[in-house]
Amino acid sequence: MLTSAVDGAPRRRPDPAAKKTATELGAIGTALGALAAVILAGVLALVLHTLAQQSPRLGPAFEGWAASASNSPFPAVRWFLGDMTEPLFYKSELAACGLLAGAFLAWWAGRRGKNWAGQLTYGTGLWPWVLASASLSLLLSNVVFGRMLDDGWQPTFVPFVCVAPAMVLMYGPGWRTCVTGAVLGAFTVTPCALLLIPTVAVPLGLPPVVANVLAMSLGSVLAFLIARKLPWLVLRKPPLQPQPIQPPSSDNRVLKDAVWAARRVLSDFTETQFFANELASAGVILGVAMAFVLNPALPSYGSNLVPHILLAQALTSAIGVVVWRGWFRNGGWAATYASLVSVAPAAVLAYDGSWQSIIGGALLGAVLAPPIARAISARLPEGFHPVIGNTAAMALSTAVTLPMLGLLHR
């Protein structure tokens, strides 16, 4: 989520003829890689849909989980773990275990210089601190607001993917940053989400995700305003910069662009957790797939729409990577993940997995969310993380897209 080149402009002006060739090859290779990722997601979705018909229905379902989490330790632990993947609309402890296992594997392999590990947390080396702060913030959110689960589902997950990890990236490692980010996240974002759901989302007929991501944006603004006044936090100058997977510019350009695009789509699945790593993404996808096959009534709120959500998420990321590929050049970045965790899955749930919701939500989200995120983030003052712009873009694009899709379902 941290962007190193807000304006996305190249650092040098290449020869016009060379630029034309590079653009053409980049478009072809990127499109092929993105298409491959979507095809793989489609195959997985079809397999999951087929296997779900013979599911043994093992373990508890989503219904009643919230109420039991407030009264019993084991469901509470499961809820805490499920919160780690709820930003992806998965809500499953198996998915969370897959997420953590994949991220740990990437961290272990990365420390040993294994190229296949990809990068974790933008190559900053701060993944352990990001995970620690985000997990502590999530724990506080569950402990303080978990009692409200007696009344049903509550957005206890929201601080896991905004203030706490962003604080670590902006202010660096250490327990002071870790604990401060955790406390600020839990006590700004979660209450804001609890307030916005009944006052904004419900009256406007919008899904809770709009209120949740808007709360992440507003809560992050408040948290970073407070952080500027705390004497024990010192903003890094310059802030830690990401080291994204670089688009290639050498021989075999088409093939290398295709590989880069496929990896970029996969890493988008864990961008919202600030992991942005292919192994972590593979882990969370395998985890939610296993959970769905074991009992389709558990993940994704028991909607039975995990295959549809996975396909829509891969599709919206792929479209975004192709459309906004120019922003990734020379170490740049684009919020192609934004629709993956907001517009696309929200559209699938809102319209029961129809083809219009899968394709329409993916397309509109991919076109709208990244440029909105870029425009807002470019105008943030120093010391405010771009997660503010990214989450605001999620809220705006979802609020615009879902009513538009509703016209197709009349």
Side-chain angles (χ1 to χ4, degrees):
M1 291 185 185
L2 187 61
T3 174
S4 62
V6 174
D7 59 3
R11 295 186 177 91
R12 62 182 182 275
R13 191 178 300 277
D15 176 74
K19 183 178 180 180
K20 180 177 181 181
T21 301
T23 301
E24 182 181 357
L25 292 176
I28 294 172
T30 303
L32 289 174
L35 178 61
V38 173
I39 291 174
L40 288 175
V43 171
L44 176 60
L46 181 60
V47 170
L48 291 179
H49 178 74
T50 303
L51 292 178
Q53 309 306 314
Q54 288 80 39
S55 171
R57 305 277 171 174
L58 296 177
F62 181 80
E63 186 177 359
W65 186 5
S68 63
S70 64
N71 301 310
S72 179
F74 183 63
V77 172
R78 290 180 53 239
W79 186 271
F80 169 81
L81 290 172
D83 274 352
M84 293 184 176
T85 59
E86 185 155 1
L88 287 161
F89 286 66
Y90 295 167
K91 191 69 176 184
S92 161
E93 66 271 30
L94 280 179
C97 290
L99 169 72
L100 296 176
F104 180 79
L105 176 60
W107 177 76
W108 175 87
R111 287 175 62 87
R112 285 155 180 79
K114 307 295 184 181
N115 292 331
W116 50 264
Q119 293 175 343
L120 185 62
T121 310
Y122 317 108
T124 61
L126 292 176
W127 176 72
W129 288 107
V130 163
L131 178 61
S133 187
S135 298
L136 179 57
S137 193
L138 181 60
L139 179 62
L140 289 172
S141 179
N142 273 265
V143 170
V144 176
F145 302 101
R147 68 190 68 181
M148 300 177 67
L149 292 172
D150 279 335
D151 298 326
W153 174 89
Q154 301 295 334
T156 51
F157 74 95
V158 288
F160 186 72
V161 289
C162 51
V163 173
M167 284 281 180
V168 172
L169 290 179
M170 295 296 288
Y171 289 95
W175 285 110
R176 289 184 177 182
T177 305
C178 176
V179 174
T180 302
V183 172
L184 288 177
F187 290 99
T188 58
V189 183
T190 307
C192 192
L194 291 169
L195 175 64
L196 291 176
I197 289 175
T199 59
V200 176
V202 173
L204 295 178
L206 295 171
V209 63
V210 175
N212 293 338
V213 292
L214 183 59
M216 294 178 196
S217 184
L218 297 177
S220 295
V221 171
L222 178 59
F224 279 101
L225 282 172
I226 296 173
R228 299 175 78 171
K229 305 296 183 181
L230 301 178
W232 61 87
L233 292 182
V234 179
L235 188 68
R236 284 178 172 258
K237 294 184 180 296
L240 289 172
Q241 298 295 332
Q243 299 175 17
I245 303 170
Q246 296 288 344
S249 58
S250 58
D251 296 336
N252 302 318
R253 175 67 184 264
V254 173
L255 176 60
K256 292 183 178 181
D257 269 340
V259 172
W260 172 82
R263 293 178 64 188
R264 179 65 252 176
V265 171
L266 183 57
S267 63
D268 266 355
F269 278 83
T270 50
E271 182 89 44
T272 191
Q273 287 93 355
F274 289 73
F275 295 177
N277 177 264
E278 302 93 313
L279 292 177
S281 296
V284 73
I285 292 171
L286 290 175
V288 75
M290 185 181 299
F292 181 72
V293 171
L294 290 175
N295 190 351
L298 173 64
S300 296
Y301 314 109
S303 63
N304 290 289
L305 292 175
V306 167
H308 307 72
I309 290 173
L310 279 171
L311 179 57
Q313 288 174 321
L315 182 59
T316 197
S317 175
I319 295 172
V321 167
V322 172
V323 172
W324 309 111
R325 68 188 183 281
W327 290 347
F328 286 101
R329 290 177 182 152
N330 300 311
W333 185 85
T336 51
Y337 83 99
S339 174
L340 186 150
V341 293
S342 58
V343 181
V348 170
L349 290 178
Y351 299 108
D352 201 28
S354 67
W355 281 109
Q356 297 97 314
S357 67
I358 294 174
I359 298 175
L363 177 60
L364 291 174
V367 171
L368 292 175
I372 295 174
R374 190 179 184 84
I376 296 175
S377 297
R379 290 161 176 79
L380 293 175
E382 183 182 12
F384 288 80
H385 194 277
V387 70
I388 296 168
N390 300 340
T391 49
M394 296 175 197
L396 291 172
S397 54
T398 304
V400 170
T401 297
L402 263 62
M404 293 175 62
L405 292 177
L407 299 176
L408 299 177
H409 288 81
R410 289 183 177 177

